Amino acid sequence: MTVETGGLVEQSKNNITTTVKHVNNRVRYGNKTEKKNRSYKKMRREVVFPRVPDVLQQLFVSCTQIFRGPGFVPPASDVNKLCDIIDKMKPEDVGLSKNLQFFKPTGAVNRTPRVTYTTIYQCDQFSLCIFFLPETAVIPLHNHPEMTVFSKLLLGKMHIKSYDWVEPKDSIPPSKLRLARLKANSVYTAPCNTSVLYPTTGGNIHQFTAVTPCAVLDVLGPPYSKEDDRDCSYYKDFPYSAFSNEGETTRVSEEEREGLGWLEEIEAPENAMMDRIDYLGPQIIENY
């Protein structure tokens, strides 16, 4: 059995094989009925959609009740509710398997691995997305303006680095450098708990680096929107000591400096480009 990049779960029972392929940027499910003589010429194919898992449907319903648009931060009770749901989610709930070809080691390549993503559901208030990162792939340092984001590492091992801006604003003119506080700089291994970032706290500016092939579920409320001035900005970070003697900077102790860094806004780097595939895994029921 072969499943290409972005494919979902494979199952085999009683000579009935459910296969998923990434064909022309679409994830397709199909049933193949094989006779014992393995005569593929007489193969019958039929497209099927898996039943939506209860936890995925519960996540969707809760998101419709909780998110209220740009700048809205869910109260702690609702944040805990969503975390409880997402913490329970397994790769199988969105059609993923560790046995997929995407997650297997491949030969060396001469280019930076590309990140692939798929959207399970999106509306004006929120979106549910999955990001697939091959080994060593990077989602570069970027922000989430006016957004609350729940992230769940479903498969693999990932290094996450994140910052929040230091307020009041401390910068070094005329450069674009601005002071930020390091919130996370660790390696996480699935399964692990859901992480949450807020419009101004919790590590709103973060970077993902795949130590092994990874899959990450993101719940964004609201989603990115250029039309609503909620576009993504990218940054390059520098140690606090690199510019600590220039301009007017906040007076901090040596211990505090270890948790500070300078961020410079940059144009979208090459590794910010992603490949999109359509999601045809377990389908959410909108009129539940």
Side-chain angles (χ1 to χ4, degrees):
M1 294 185 294
T2 300
V3 179
E4 301 173 11
T5 302
L8 304 186
V9 173
E10 289 185 325
Q11 296 177 338
S12 180
K13 184 178 181 182
N14 299 328
N15 293 326
I16 305 297
T17 304
T18 301
T19 307
V20 185
K21 295 182 179 179
H22 175 196
V23 181
N24 297 329
N25 288 336
R26 297 183 69 83
V27 178
R28 295 187 180 277
Y29 284 79
N31 277 354
K32 296 190 296 185
T33 303
E34 303 174 12
K35 293 187 176 181
K36 291 185 178 180
N37 63 7
R38 296 184 180 277
S39 176
Y40 290 97
K41 291 182 180 180
K42 295 182 180 181
M43 184 185 302
R44 180 174 64 86
R45 295 174 180 245
E46 180 181 344
V47 176
V48 297
F49 294 97
R51 176 185 176 275
V52 59
D54 291 340
V55 67
L56 179 57
Q57 185 65 32
Q58 185 182 7
L59 174 61
F60 166 73
V61 172
S62 295
C63 286
T64 62
Q65 297 170 344
I66 290 173
F67 290 109
R68 294 289 181 269
F72 173 79
V73 179
S77 58
D78 285 340
V79 169
N80 292 335
K81 178 180 179 179
L82 282 181
C83 284
D84 287 343
I85 296 171
I86 300 172
D87 283 346
K88 297 174 185 176
M89 295 193 70
K90 300 177 181 180
E92 295 79 10
D93 295 320
V94 288
L96 297 179
S97 166
K98 293 181 180 179
N99 297 323
L100 297 176
Q101 186 65 37
F102 180 86
F103 297 110
K104 295 178 181 178
T106 58
V109 294
N110 295 322
R111 62 183 180 85
T112 303
R114 295 267 292 204
V115 176
T116 301
Y117 76 97
T118 189
T119 302
I120 301 173
Y121 181 86
Q122 180 166 322
C123 62
D124 291 341
Q125 281 70 44
F126 68 92
S127 65
L128 310 178
C129 304
I130 306 173
F131 294 88
F132 305 96
L133 288 78
E135 185 174 344
T136 73
V138 177
I139 298 179
L141 202 61
H142 63 283
N143 70 341
H144 306 79
E146 300 184 82
M147 299 160 67
T148 302
V149 181
F150 297 75
S151 294
K152 166 78 171 183
L153 182 61
L154 295 171
L155 289 171
K157 182 182 292 186
M158 172 181 289
H159 179 267
I160 300 177
K161 190 175 190 179
S162 66
Y163 292 92
D164 284 329
W165 295 122
V166 169
E167 298 294 350
K169 182 178 179 180
D170 193 355
S171 60
I172 300 178
S175 71
K176 297 180 180 178
L177 290 168
R178 182 175 171 186
L179 193 61
R181 179 169 285 106
L182 188 67
K183 300 298 293 184
N185 190 23
S186 302
V187 173
Y188 298 82
T189 302
C192 54
N193 291 335
T194 304
S195 62
V196 186
L197 62 83
Y198 302 90
T200 60
T201 60
N204 186 279
I205 305 164
H206 69 198
Q207 173 177 292
F208 291 163
T209 303
V211 179
T212 68
C214 297
V216 183
L217 171 67
D218 263 10
V219 179
L220 300 91
Y224 287 106
S225 173
K226 290 184 179 180
E227 294 77 11
D228 298 322
D229 294 324
R230 215 165 44 252
D231 199 5
C232 187
S233 297
Y234 294 92
Y235 301 89
K236 183 177 181 179
D237 60 338
F238 302 90
Y240 179 85
S241 59
F243 301 97
S244 59
N245 295 325
E246 298 185 28
E248 292 296 329
T249 63
T250 303
R251 294 182 179 181
V252 295
S253 67
E254 288 294 331
E255 183 178 355
E256 289 176 312
R257 291 184 184 189
E258 293 298 319
L260 296 175
W262 296 101
L263 302 189
E264 179 183 18
E265 186 172 346
I266 60 174
E267 296 295 326
E270 182 180 352
N271 58 352
M273 301 299 294
M274 300 182 185
D275 295 324
R276 179 185 178 277
I277 56 176
D278 289 345
Y279 175 79
L280 295 180
Q283 301 295 299
I284 286 170
I285 303 172
E286 293 191 52
N287 299 318
Y288 191 68

